[in-house]
Amino acid sequence: MYPYKQIIDRARNGRTAVYPKASDSSRLSIMGAKITGEFKRFPTMEDILIVPPLFTPQRLEKSIDLLVREPVFFDVELAGKLGGFHVSMPLVQSSMGSPDVWNLLAPYAAKACALEGIIYGIGENVAATWGYETRKVKSQPCLKERILAYFENFHGKGGVVIQQNEEDAQSELWNRLYSDPDLTQFFEDGFIAFEIKGGQGAKAGMGGERYIDRKTALELKDTYYIHPDPEMVEQERYERHSAPDIFTEEILRNRIIKMKNDYPNAKIWLKVGPYRDLARVLEIAGDTGVDCLSIDGKEGGTGMSPSVAMSHVGLPILACIALISEQKKKYPRTDVIISGRMMSGADLVKAMALGMNGIAMGRPFLISGYSFRFAERYLASELYRKKLIAKIAMKIRKPNEQSVQLIRNFVETIRIEAQLLTAGLGKYDLKKLSKEDLATVSEQIATMLDIPSIYSQKEMFVKPLIVA
Amino acid sequence: MQQNINSNSLESYLEQFTTDIATITSQPVFQEIYEIYDLISQSMRTYLVSQGFLEFKPPLIGPVTDPGTRGAKQVAIDYYGKEYKFMSSGILYKQLLSISRKMAGKEGKIFFFADNLRLEPLETANTDRHLAEFIQVDLEIVDADHHQAMDVAEGLVSYLHQEMKKYEAKLKPIWEFFEPLSSQRGLRKRESLPEIVGAFKRYTHAEAVDLLQTYIGENPDVVKEIQQRFGVKASRLSPKSEIPWEYEWLLSHIHDEPFFIYDYPKGARGFYDRESPQQPGILMDFDLIFPHGYGEAISGAAREFEVSKVIPRMKESGESLQKYRWYLEFLKKHGQPTAGFGIGLERAVRYFCGLPSIFLALPYPRVPGVFSA
């Protein structure tokens, strides 16, 4: 089960959610650390611990800098560069596409991300489904509303990342954006990236699946694979399938080169699922000068995926990190971010310490934006996994300006936690984190990621000077 | 020439094209340009017909047109409920027609006077040689490669020079009228048209980049000048990619005669430009560049014609295969080698008339992002 309650709590309560509430007896944390958990099939970020030392020379350095006081957590620097943009924090709102629930919220999320100075992603099929600059459906925002909501609230930190899939390519989405006079300045100033989509974590290797109604099925029958054929069979609901894009090493390499030629002012991002050939993907991305490689682990969220894919397909994010760690050192100019069940400041700190350049997340933004009162009860129901629940939540109340605050609250908790944890490690810049700050409960992970295992006799974090 | 216009900048000319077209187009200097436009069109037709080319009327719309390059957007229309595209270039149809001529036992040489529509990115408004709507004289030859297509281009452009030489007396006043603006826009002052004797220079892309790098080495100040002129921040010159506009201008500026650049690295061009079987990563394509700063006139190439080559190339461009259904089916059944090129008619007019910017060649210019009548 996805821990939606934690997200709602963060969105509603903002920075106070960073700490346990005395009144809330359901929180195990009030009695100390949670040491048992639900059954997991494979290790996740939770199997890694953050291990602070007593001796913290960087804290001393920082206090010399500050001169008049000891450094505290809010002295930790989170800002930097990511994927060609200046950001306030290396947290990215994943590229989320056309599902109606998300689409309603998307412009508010854009505003929240812009105000927070973080990168905002736009997934595939948005213009095709909801319109480019005029609404196809009165109640549903179109693509440019998302983009302009971001830039109207932009303060110089962050950026917008936009995907184009095969169906978008039919209407040449990127060319349209690139030649749109409203956006020329933002391209010239380097605030927009185009993101090639090479799959996602929840359905690695597979295409896109959705249910659509009859009217939409008839409209889309030439663009997608619709089952059954709406002209032959009349029913309420149809399956809409889109084919996975085709890549070979040569195709990927040349597509990137072509994009750099065609869109010299756009940053180039590449999003991929948790594939076994990730190391090669990073090599090609690095060689061709991709600004950011975004890897979605099998833990990643989805609008709709076959259950069999979520259970049996793809690599968990820790395995992805291990797969690319050698190549990562060779290509310092290509940033790598990870996604898939990222939801706290601890995830950000761990990712940075493991050598990643940031994290992306999607579901927390969706849940936060809908975290009005009473939403929780619906989110708790079994319906959650089919995203229907969010539809119900939507009926309770449509996203509005309050959603902006809910999402900003959530983002603030990530910021504070990341600062608390980093300061706890005696470091005052997120970029100073390294593997020395981590340990794991599993010897396998220790070997794989080259970090200490806390129960291993052989491994010592810091050896004493005098050994008896 | 008596003129009732008083324009000292391109912006004010453009302004007049958006406010009072009748006044501006009725000026003698513009009427002279329109006459040259017609003469150039006629000369092109005469030459191509004399070389055995058959003219076809190009399609205006189709289910697919060749993909825009460098970020240009196509224009879609609603065709009885289906999306059709206005032609951004008729390459796919040229291939079809030249091959069908050959299949019928005729000479597979065809040409179009093709109206093309490309919503170019706004950054192209500064190049002085991009229009959203323009005419391209587009030809295709069966059983030819890019070198043979270059031979035809050379013949055509030499012929145009020879014909226009006859009209130098008519051209001179136009040159003089626009000279102050032309030199501001980086075009060399012209006393007469170049005398074409013999073949045009042909540089490979790698040689052209070398030539530029050598020139920059000897004239380091030029880098700053072109960056200022084109408003670019850093040098974008690389042997692995297309020659950026600002460097193409430089190359053009330092030449006295038209010249070719061929064998570009794969990357920027469409999927239909054939990749060299002998040199993977190199395309069998070419540009013809006008001298004196006027820049690119012609783009051409040998075409990919095997589906096993075309499909991966389409995927490299992120294209949808479904969209190209008729074309892929045609290639599978009838694909065979062809080569061809397109010459921008307004670019030729600009060059021969010595115009500071291409939009001056047309009575109702479509400058990217400018709303004229």
Side-chain angles (χ1 to χ4, degrees):
Chain A
M1 187 68 160
Y2 190 75
Y4 60 90
K5 282 187 181 174
Q6 288 176 26
I7 310 285
I8 293 177
D9 180 34
R10 282 160 180 258
R12 284 220 190 119
N13 301 311
R15 54 194 302 142
T16 57
V18 173
Y19 311 97
K21 272 181 281 190
S23 61
D24 187 352
S25 59
S26 73
R27 284 169 190 266
L28 287 172
S29 50
I30 201 78
M31 294 175 284
K34 181 177 174 180
I35 52 167
T36 59
E38 59 189 274
F39 168 72
K40 280 190 304 189
R41 293 182 58 204
F42 47 81
T44 67
M45 278 288 193
E46 282 180 38
D47 297 87
I48 293 176
L49 295 177
I50 293 161
V51 286
L54 175 65
F55 305 124
T56 53
Q58 291 186 32
R59 187 175 292 157
L60 176 63
E61 264 172 46
K62 187 78 184 174
S63 77
I64 295 167
D65 270 0
L66 292 167
L67 200 63
V68 291
R69 64 174 171 82
E70 289 76 13
V72 280
F73 73 90
F74 46 77
D75 293 315
V76 172
E77 181 63 85
L78 300 177
K81 281 206 86 176
L82 177 61
F85 302 120
H86 290 280
V87 295
S88 72
M89 166 168 56
L91 167 67
V92 176
Q93 186 227 272
S94 300
S95 300
M96 294 204 281
S98 62
D100 48 359
V101 179
W102 171 253
N103 194 58
L104 274 179
L105 178 63
Y108 299 103
K111 182 174 178 184
C113 290
L115 291 170
E116 291 295 326
I118 61 173
I119 297 169
Y120 174 73
I122 298 177
E124 54 198 14
N125 277 328
V126 181
T129 314
W130 305 117
Y132 177 78
E133 60 189 349
T134 42
R135 292 184 173 199
K136 281 192 177 174
V137 176
K138 247 184 175 176
S139 57
Q140 283 283 357
C142 60
L143 174 73
K144 253 176 93 175
E145 287 178 73
R146 292 193 191 186
I147 301 171
L148 295 179
Y150 190 89
F151 286 117
E152 278 159 16
N153 294 284
F154 184 62
H155 291 96
K157 290 230 164 110
V160 174
V161 178
I162 306 168
Q163 289 182 347
Q164 164 178 284
N165 70 352
E166 203 179 80
E167 284 79 23
D168 295 315
Q170 293 198 22
S171 54
E172 290 186 291
L173 177 64
W174 284 343
N175 283 343
R176 184 156 189 191
L177 290 161
Y178 202 71
S179 55
D180 188 331
D182 291 344
L183 303 178
T184 303
Q185 194 60 48
F186 301 119
F187 278 107
E188 279 179 5
D189 293 342
F191 297 137
I192 300 180
F194 287 151
E195 183 173 70
I196 302 172
K197 184 165 180 190
Q200 66 184 77
K203 44 185 169 187
M206 299 174 194
E209 336 285 338
R210 267 186 84 182
Y211 284 122
I212 53 173
D213 62 24
R214 181 167 169 74
K215 184 172 164 274
T216 319
L218 285 165
E219 268 173 35
L220 297 179
K221 70 181 172 46
D222 292 332
T223 321
Y224 294 89
Y225 303 94
I226 311 281
H227 181 82
D229 183 343
E231 291 199 331
M232 306 297 283
V233 184
E234 196 171 331
Q235 59 189 47
E236 227 172 78
R237 202 168 68 155
Y238 296 83
E239 292 169 23
R240 187 208 79 186
H241 302 281
S242 54
D245 209 343
I246 303 169
F247 290 99
T248 60
E249 293 187 13
E250 183 77 356
I251 288 174
L252 177 62
R253 177 183 296 278
N254 286 305
R255 193 181 295 184
I256 297 164
I257 293 170
K258 187 159 193 318
M259 283 174 69
K260 290 179 85 92
N261 267 305
D262 284 356
Y263 313 114
N265 292 330
K267 312 288 177 201
I268 305 297
W269 283 41
L270 169 62
K271 179 173 181 174
V272 294
Y275 299 117
R276 63 174 194 243
D277 46 9
L278 275 179
R280 192 73 193 110
V281 172
L282 177 55
E283 270 174 4
I284 291 168
D287 278 342
T288 50
V290 163
D291 295 289
C292 187
L293 172 66
S294 170
I295 301 171
D296 192 26
K298 87 173 261 76
E299 304 93 322
T302 171
M304 182 170 161
S305 265
S307 315
V308 72
M310 287 188 277
S311 311
H312 297 283
V313 174
L315 293 165
I317 200 66
L318 289 184
C320 295
I321 296 173
L323 258 184
I324 58 157
S325 57
E326 274 309 303
Q327 270 67 25
K328 178 84 180 78
K329 293 174 206 151
K330 285 187 212 150
Y331 300 102
R333 281 185 49 231
T334 295
D335 288 339
V336 178
I337 61 172
I338 51 170
S339 59
R341 231 181 149 88
M342 302 288 140
M343 63 182 83
S344 74
D347 293 328
L348 177 57
V349 165
K350 289 173 189 177
M352 298 299 284
L354 287 170
M356 301 298 105
N357 302 92
I359 60 172
M361 51 177 87
R363 285 171 287 182
F365 286 86
L366 175 68
I367 298 172
S368 292
Y370 278 101
S371 294
F372 312 116
R373 284 193 160 280
F374 310 116
E376 194 167 356
R377 146 177 355 156
Y378 295 96
L379 286 166
S381 84
E382 282 307 303
L383 288 171
Y384 168 72
R385 298 185 61 194
K386 292 290 176 202
K387 95 180 166 61
L388 290 173
I389 188 56
K391 259 188 178 161
I392 297 169
M394 186 172 73
K395 278 186 188 155
I396 306 170
R397 204 184 298 170
K398 285 199 170 174
N400 53 45
E401 280 300 316
Q402 201 193 332
S403 305
V404 176
Q405 194 54 50
L406 291 165
I407 292 173
R408 293 191 70 185
N409 287 348
F410 171 76
V411 173
E412 188 184 28
T413 64
I414 306 284
R415 172 182 302 117
I416 291 174
E417 285 179 344
Q419 287 181 315
L420 282 165
L421 294 168
T422 307
L425 289 161
K427 298 185 174 179
Y428 293 88
D429 188 329
L430 217 47
K431 291 180 282 297
K432 298 259 169 75
L433 294 169
S434 65
K435 285 186 177 177
E436 66 177 355
D437 299 314
L438 303 178
T440 170
V441 295
S442 143
E443 261 194 75
Q444 279 171 324
I445 297 178
T447 312
M448 185 176 78
L449 292 175
D450 192 25
I451 56 177
S453 159
I454 56 175
Y455 299 124
S456 164
Q457 295 297 316
K458 292 169 285 185
E459 283 290 343
M460 300 289 271
F461 295 105
V462 178
K463 291 191 172 69
L465 288 178
I466 302 161
V467 183
Chain B
M1 260 182 279
Q2 284 290 311
Q3 309 291 339
N4 299 319
I5 43 173
N6 181 21
S7 288
N8 48 17
S9 73
L10 281 177
E11 289 72 24
S12 64
Y13 277 116
L14 200 49
E15 173 71 25
Q16 289 176 69
F17 277 105
T18 62
T19 50
D20 187 356
I21 297 188
T23 302
I24 184 94
T25 56
S26 62
Q27 299 308 310
V29 70
F30 282 100
Q31 289 300 324
E32 289 294 304
I33 294 171
Y34 305 147
E35 283 168 26
I36 298 290
Y37 190 112
D38 188 52
L39 284 169
I40 290 175
S41 301
Q42 287 178 34
S43 303
M44 286 194 190
R45 274 208 169 87
T46 308
Y47 182 78
L48 291 176
V49 171
S50 78
Q51 297 297 306
F53 285 83
L54 182 72
E55 181 173 0
F56 278 84
K57 184 214 165 286
L60 200 59
I61 55 168
V64 62
T65 178
D66 69 307
T69 47
R70 287 185 173 180
K73 170 84 181 80
Q74 299 169 4
V75 178
I77 65 156
D78 182 344
Y79 183 69
Y80 301 102
K82 291 226 187 287
E83 187 179 276
Y84 265 48
K85 296 286 171 62
F86 200 98
M87 289 298 128
S88 58
S89 165
I91 287 174
L92 312 183
Y93 294 92
K94 286 199 301 181
Q95 252 179 302
L96 173 81
L97 289 173
S98 60
I99 290 173
S100 79
R101 291 278 294 165
K102 172 83 186 299
M103 286 164 69
K106 308 274 188 185
E107 203 175 1
K109 292 160 92 173
I110 65 106
F111 75 102
F112 291 147
F113 264 64
D115 285 289
N116 293 158
L117 198 54
R118 296 178 189 171
L119 302 186
E120 298 276 357
L122 293 188
E123 61 192 31
T124 60
N126 286 329
T127 64
D128 294 331
R129 63 171 177 78
H130 282 89
L131 287 169
E133 182 187 332
F134 60 97
I135 287 181
Q136 184 170 223
V137 179
D138 226 351
L139 62 81
E140 196 76 10
I141 315 154
V142 172
D143 285 337
D145 67 8
H146 59 318
H147 289 284
Q148 286 155 303
M150 277 191 270
D151 295 342
V152 176
E154 189 172 271
L156 174 64
V157 172
S158 301
Y159 179 77
L160 287 178
H161 275 82
Q162 184 192 314
E163 284 301 292
M164 285 302 113
K165 269 271 177 203
K166 299 178 190 161
Y167 296 97
E168 260 187 352
K170 196 175 170 64
L171 289 168
K172 260 189 182 157
I174 310 178
W175 301 343
E176 280 162 17
F177 182 82
F178 286 108
E179 206 286 316
L181 275 181
S182 297
S183 60
Q184 264 180 40
R185 302 303 282 189
L187 304 175
R188 271 165 54 185
K189 188 168 177 180
R190 186 187 279 162
E191 302 294 341
S192 64
L193 283 176
E195 201 77 56
I196 307 286
V197 274
F200 296 163
K201 278 190 184 136
R202 296 186 184 191
Y203 304 103
T204 62
H205 174 270
E207 288 166 351
V209 172
D210 269 356
L211 183 72
L212 275 168
Q213 275 162 345
T214 311
Y215 185 86
I216 293 163
E218 289 162 5
N219 306 275
D221 295 344
V222 79
V223 174
K224 218 175 197 169
E225 187 199 326
I226 62 171
Q227 287 179 3
Q228 250 167 13
R229 183 179 292 283
F230 290 88
V232 285
K233 285 164 199 148
S235 175
R236 305 187 289 173
L237 188 62
S238 147
K240 282 195 277 183
S241 54
E242 291 275 303
I243 296 172
W245 290 313
E246 62 274 20
Y247 286 100
E248 186 197 283
W249 167 81
L250 178 60
L251 211 47
S252 165
H253 195 76
I254 59 180
H255 276 80
D256 294 317
E257 273 187 26
F259 60 97
F260 290 104
I261 303 174
Y262 67 102
D263 286 2
Y264 280 82
K266 194 163 130 184
R269 305 287 167 122
F271 59 76
Y272 35 77
D273 282 13
R274 189 169 181 201
E275 184 169 2
S276 164
Q278 287 79 35
Q279 306 177 73
I282 298 291
L283 297 177
M284 298 166 69
D285 62 0
F286 68 94
D287 285 350
L288 180 137
I289 314 287
F290 280 139
H292 301 166
Y294 291 87
E296 184 195 313
I298 288 180
S299 251
R303 312 294 175 203
E304 290 288 3
F305 59 93
E306 297 152 295
V307 283
S308 61
K309 300 273 171 53
V310 173
I311 288 178
R313 290 289 301 283
M314 283 183 167
K315 295 316 294 180
E316 287 172 11
S317 311
E319 288 287 345
S320 152
L321 300 179
Q322 251 180 315
K323 193 165 118 174
Y324 291 94
R325 191 178 188 143
W326 78 257
Y327 179 67
L328 290 168
E329 281 170 354
F330 151 70
L331 283 186
K332 179 147 197 210
K333 285 192 208 128
H334 309 294
Q336 52 178 300
T338 68
F341 64 82
I343 175 166
L345 181 52
E346 289 83 3
R347 287 184 180 179
V349 175
R350 176 187 176 222
Y351 167 68
F352 285 109
C353 291
L355 304 178
S357 185
I358 193 165
F359 75 85
L360 298 162
L362 283 175
Y364 20 78
R366 304 287 174 238
V367 178
V370 174
F371 303 99
S372 55

